[in-house]
């Protein structure tokens, strides 16, 4: 083999090894999002083990026509032992949307949130072994959802409805490909959910919700943050229909209490 060909072959081999040895700056992220690595460390723990997992499904619109009300459903299937779900949005000014502990509910939640610009929307589900399983979807948007005042803030009607809860339990319709659940709880809390990113309006949002049964046993716990939409609506699934009276309790970041009963 001519010397120049040998040198070229060795150089190609060396470059191939170097490329294989180079660390992936996105840590395997399918969206190759630059904020992801820092987000993983901040919200999931610098030493926590994370895996991208198709069993964690995040469903949302390909394009958000209303960036102040983007519908998202998170569901975890065939992954036992999920004790916590965190929803994150890479390119929101406030990235953490909510944190959900299913307890006696199924590891699924539906809600609406505010989207500032096109971004991956992720759900991280932690199993009993401490591993975070990551799923996501990409939502495009014209943006601006986090920096615009809500309708009730503009017309002032929020003062008349603050903290009012409406809820209903009904038989759930199974999602294709998923196991049927016994029932679904849908609840709405009247609250302006201000992000604090609109001039002259400080952050004001529901920060904790808990659903309890008639024996005061906690069925699920939800921690919410500023990006959740105004007058938030949440849906939760249960393997069996909760019996008796349900109680929905919570607070907002100003200390206002939420307390309602659902017969």
């Amino acid at each position: 083999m001519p010397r120049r060909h040998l040198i070229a072959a060795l150089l190609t081999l060396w470059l191939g090894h170097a490329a294989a040895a180079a660390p992936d700056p996105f840590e395997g992220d399918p969206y190759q999002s630059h904020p992801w690595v820092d987000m993983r460390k901040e919200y999931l723990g610098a030493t926590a083990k994370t895996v991208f997992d198709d069993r964690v499904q995040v469903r949302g619109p390909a394009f958000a026509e209303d960036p102040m009300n983007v519908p998202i459903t998170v569901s975890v299937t065939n992954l036992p032992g999920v004790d916590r779900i965190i929803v994150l949005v890479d390119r929101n000014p406030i990235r953490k949307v909510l944190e959900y502990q299913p307890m006696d509910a199924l590891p699924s939640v539906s809600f609406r949130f505010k989207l500032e610009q096109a971004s991956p929307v992720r759900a991280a589900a932690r199993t009993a072994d401490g591993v975070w399983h990551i799923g996501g979807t990409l939502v495009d948007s014209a943006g601006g959802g986090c920096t615009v005042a809500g309708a009730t803030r503009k017309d002032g009607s929020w003062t008349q409805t603050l903290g009012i809860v409406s809820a209903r339990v009904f038989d759930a319709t199974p999602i294709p490909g998923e196991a049927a659940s016994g029932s679904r709880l849908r609840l709405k809390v009247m609250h302006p959910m201000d992000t604090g990113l609109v001039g002259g309006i400080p952050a004001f949002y529901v920060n904790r919700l808990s659903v309890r049964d008639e024996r005061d046993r906690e069925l699920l716990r939800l921690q919410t943050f500023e990006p959740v939409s105004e007058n938030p609506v949440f849906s939760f699934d249960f393997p069996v229909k909760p019996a008796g009276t349900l109680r929905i309790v919570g607070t907002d970041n100003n200390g206002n209490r939420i307390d309602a009963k659902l017969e």
Side-chain angles (χ1 to χ4, degrees):
M1 176 184 293
R3 182 174 179 179
R4 66 178 182 275
H5 290 170
L6 178 61
I7 293 174
L10 291 174
L11 181 60
T12 300
L13 182 63
W14 179 82
L15 289 174
H17 282 299
D24 176 8
F26 301 107
E27 298 185 348
D29 176 24
Y31 302 105
Q32 296 193 342
S33 170
H34 289 284
W36 166 244
V37 175
D38 290 334
M39 288 171 58
R40 177 188 62 76
K41 295 176 183 177
E42 179 178 357
Y43 298 109
L44 307 182
T47 60
K49 183 179 178 180
T50 59
V51 294
F52 294 99
D53 194 331
D54 291 339
R55 292 174 292 181
V56 180
Q57 300 178 6
V58 182
R59 291 184 292 274
F63 182 84
E65 295 183 2
D66 181 359
M68 297 185 70
N69 290 281
V70 182
I72 286 292
T73 295
V74 176
S75 58
V76 183
T77 57
N78 301 317
L79 184 61
V82 173
D83 62 11
R84 191 178 299 264
I85 295 174
I86 295 177
V87 178
L88 304 169
V89 180
D90 291 30
R91 300 193 178 279
N92 260 11
I94 302 169
R95 289 171 174 164
K96 192 173 184 180
V97 180
L98 61 77
E99 187 168 334
Y100 173 47
Q101 293 173 258
M103 298 178 174
D104 278 5
L106 295 176
S108 64
V109 59
S110 297
F111 60 95
R112 292 175 180 264
F113 78 101
K114 310 180 194 86
L115 181 63
E116 185 63 18
Q117 59 179 302
S119 176
V121 180
R122 305 178 191 267
R126 189 181 68 182
T127 46
D129 56 5
V131 176
W132 289 97
H133 301 257
I134 318 296
T137 190
L138 184 64
V139 180
D140 198 359
S141 175
C146 294
T147 50
V148 178
T152 60
R153 175 62 72 177
K154 291 177 180 177
D155 63 22
S157 62
W158 68 271
T159 59
Q160 308 301 316
T161 59
L162 184 69
I164 293 176
V165 176
S166 55
R168 179 189 172 198
V169 175
F170 54 94
D171 293 335
T173 301
I175 297 171
E178 297 184 8
S181 60
S183 63
R184 178 164 295 166
L185 168 64
R186 181 167 294 159
L187 66 89
K188 180 177 183 178
V189 182
M190 301 300 291
H191 202 284
M193 299 298 290
D194 299 311
T195 62
L197 302 176
V198 180
I201 304 176
F204 183 42
Y205 58 96
V206 175
N207 58 3
R208 294 187 185 276
L209 285 174
S210 173
V211 176
R212 301 172 181 270
D213 67 11
E214 58 186 1
R215 293 176 294 173
D216 202 35
R217 185 170 57 97
E218 197 168 26
L219 304 179
L220 64 88
R221 185 182 302 164
L222 190 67
Q223 187 176 3
T224 52
F225 298 90
E226 299 94 321
V228 172
S229 292
E230 176 185 35
N231 300 328
V233 178
F234 303 100
S235 294
F236 308 99
D237 290 332
F238 294 88
V240 295
K241 190 172 184 177
T245 301
L246 293 181
R247 187 178 175 206
I248 300 154
V249 297
T251 60
D252 66 22
N253 68 320
N254 279 10
N256 296 301
R257 294 189 176 276
I258 297 163
D259 197 338
K261 289 184 178 181
L262 172 65
E263 299 296 335

